[in-house]
């Protein structure tokens, strides 16, 4: 085990898979010499050359369509979408073509494609570069959606995604690229649909996604000082979702808070909370709580932007009131 950044973990996963399989190539804007604006892919073009690390014009629909066609005809493309906000530009290629081709061809065609992109506010990037749009693609049958919460998850989930014969969208939090975690030197994969229990507890279950996993863990530490035992769960993938682990936890603790950085309305918090309410109703001592981003365009102003997403303090306060029967 060694401690590396999330950025390094992503880079390693791609390099290892490209060495293993010559049909893999990576395509996107500023992915070669620039290594993306976040420098995640630095050094890959030097090893694999511009034929496999391919810089594109600023035409997201164009290179996404090329990748879908390549996936249907024997390649395994990785598409780098510079900002998650640009998903709106590739929705036809992703949702009408990649997601549906296997079904509409009667299983004769497959689309082994990975779309890497990001999410997350509080980077002062304003409303068009700060959105968390994972619920948008999770709504589309035929797409798998992964959300790593650390360098360990980032590498293991990405390697699994690259080997999957289905289209996968993987979201990395923009603010976490320099965060470090312990990552094995030997090869490992993290199966989709297998949540991680990061902290065991008895009083309340905190389910967090991506960056909100860290928020939940910090909230759990605050609650411990008050004598409240919080269990923290990282689903890792929201499609497929490990329902069983979440429900087992809630049946034990009898209370749950779901925390996600996407907008709260019609999002991931609503879906997970509804499943808990439907399938663990008689085990609940209080209504399931949801904490997501405010339903507003993300402000550029730091003072305003910081108010739009859940914080450890906010989650801890909600959990205290839930356990004390104030909600």
């Amino acid at each position: 085990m060694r401690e590396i950044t999330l950025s390094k973990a992503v880079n390693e996963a791609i390099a290892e898979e490209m060495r293993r399989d010559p049909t893999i190539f990576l395509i996107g804007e500023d992915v070669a010499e620039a290594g993306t604006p976040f420098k995640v892919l630095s050094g890959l073009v030097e090893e694999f050359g511009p034929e496999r690390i391919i810089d594109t014009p600023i035409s997201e629909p164009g290179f996404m369509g090329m990748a879908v066609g390549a996936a249907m005809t024997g390649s395994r493309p990785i598409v780098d979408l510079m900002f998650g906000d640009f998903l709106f530009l590739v929705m036809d290629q992703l949702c009408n073509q990649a997601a549906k081709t296997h079904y509409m061809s009667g299983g004769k065609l497959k689309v082994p494609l990975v779309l890497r992109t990001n999410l997350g506010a509080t980077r002062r990037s304003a409303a068009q570069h700060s959105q968390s749009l994972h619920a948008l693609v999770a709504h589309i049958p035929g797409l798998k959606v992964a959300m790593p919460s650390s360098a360990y998850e980032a590498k293991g989930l990405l390697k699994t995604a690259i080997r999957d014969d289905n289209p996968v969208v993987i979201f990395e939090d923009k603010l976490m690229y320099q965060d470090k975690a312990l990552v094995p030197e030997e090869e490992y994969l993290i199966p989709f649909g297998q949540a991680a229990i990061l902290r065991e507890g008895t009083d309340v279950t905190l389910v967090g996604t991506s960056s909100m996993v860290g928020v939940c863990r910090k909230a759990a530490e605050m609650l411990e000082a008050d004598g409240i035992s919080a269990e923290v769960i990282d689903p890792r993938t929201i499609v497929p979702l490990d329902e069983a682990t979440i429900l087992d936890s809630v049946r034990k603790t009898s209370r749950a808070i779901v925390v996600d950085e996407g907008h709260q309305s019609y999002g991931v918090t609503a879906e997970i909370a509804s499943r808990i309410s439907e399938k663990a109703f008689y085990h609940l001592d209080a209504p399931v709580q949801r904490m997501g981003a405010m339903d507003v365009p993300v402000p550029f102003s730091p003072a305003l932007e910081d108010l739009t997403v859940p914080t450890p303090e906010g989650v801890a306060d909600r959990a205290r009131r839930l356990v004390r029967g104030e909600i």
Side-chain angles (χ1 to χ4, degrees):
M1 299 285 279
R2 69 267 151 79
E3 197 174 50
I4 62 173
T5 64
L6 192 148
S7 175
K8 174 66 172 172
V10 170
N11 190 295
E12 280 189 0
I14 293 170
E16 288 174 11
E17 291 303 298
M18 290 186 74
R19 292 180 197 124
R20 182 187 61 84
D21 185 347
T23 68
I24 297 169
F25 69 89
L26 188 144
I27 188 169
E29 296 160 357
D30 290 338
V31 297
E33 284 76 11
T36 78
F38 302 100
K39 305 304 177 188
V40 177
L41 306 180
S42 294
L44 293 182
V45 72
E46 284 79 8
E47 178 175 355
F48 299 104
E51 297 82 16
R52 295 183 70 192
I53 307 293
I54 304 168
D55 268 337
T56 67
I58 302 174
S59 178
E60 286 84 0
F63 66 75
M64 186 67 194
M66 291 170 60
V68 173
M72 290 168 60
T73 52
S75 295
R76 304 186 81 89
I78 304 169
V79 178
D80 185 287
L81 198 60
M82 190 181 290
F83 285 91
D85 311 69
F86 303 163
L87 273 169
F88 295 111
L89 298 167
V90 303
M91 289 300 278
D92 182 63
Q93 292 81 359
L94 179 64
C95 299
N96 277 333
Q97 310 306 327
K100 296 176 173 63
T101 292
H102 184 72
Y103 172 77
M104 295 184 72
S105 69
K108 294 179 180 178
L109 296 173
K110 59 184 180 180
V111 188
L113 176 149
V114 176
L115 176 60
R116 274 191 60 250
T117 192
N118 50 52
L119 56 77
T122 69
R123 189 176 173 268
R124 320 312 183 202
S125 297
Q128 294 175 333
H129 293 76
S130 302
Q131 298 173 88
S132 299
L133 300 175
H134 42 288
L136 201 68
V137 290
H139 185 68
I140 305 300
L143 298 178
K144 297 183 179 182
V145 184
M147 301 182 67
S149 62
S150 76
Y152 176 80
E153 275 77 22
K155 184 171 183 179
L157 289 172
L158 181 52
K159 288 173 73 73
T160 300
I162 292 170
R163 299 185 190 192
D164 201 303
D165 283 339
N166 301 281
V168 178
V169 187
I170 187 162
F171 289 87
E172 301 150 7
D173 187 272
K174 294 188 286 286
L175 285 178
M176 292 173 62
Y177 281 125
Q178 297 310 310
D179 290 359
K180 292 184 177 181
L182 292 173
V183 176
E185 291 191 24
E186 65 273 12
E187 180 175 87
Y188 70 99
L189 286 83
I190 297 176
F192 285 0
Q194 187 176 100
I197 300 174
L198 302 179
R199 182 187 180 110
E200 294 194 355
T202 55
D203 296 324
V204 60
T205 298
L206 305 179
V207 182
T209 60
S210 185
S211 57
M212 295 296 103
V213 173
V215 166
C216 289
R217 295 182 81 164
K218 290 176 183 176
E221 293 170 4
M222 295 176 184
L223 292 167
E224 187 176 30
D226 297 330
I228 296 172
S229 174
E231 184 147 296
V232 178
I233 295 179
D234 174 8
R236 290 175 167 167
T237 58
I238 56 173
V239 182
L241 179 68
D242 183 356
E243 236 181 45
T245 296
I246 295 171
L247 294 175
D248 285 346
S249 175
V250 174
R251 290 179 184 124
K252 177 177 66 173
T253 65
S254 300
R255 303 173 186 87
I257 303 176
V258 186
V259 192
D260 179 73
E261 198 169 340
H263 296 303
Q264 182 156 312
S265 294
Y266 306 98
V268 171
T269 60
E271 178 62 30
I272 297 177
S274 71
R275 296 197 194 192
I276 294 171
S277 295
E278 289 171 5
K279 300 180 180 182
F281 178 79
Y282 292 105
H283 297 268
L284 291 170
D285 288 340
V288 181
Q289 300 295 297
R290 301 189 292 130
M291 299 184 71
M294 287 185 182
D295 295 327
V296 298
V298 179
F300 175 75
S301 163
L304 295 177
E305 183 180 18
D306 290 343
L307 297 174
T308 65
V309 297
T311 63
E313 294 78 12
V315 174
D317 179 66
R318 182 77 66 91
R320 286 189 198 97
R321 291 189 288 125
L322 191 66
V323 172
R324 292 168 181 166
E326 298 170 3
I327 297 177

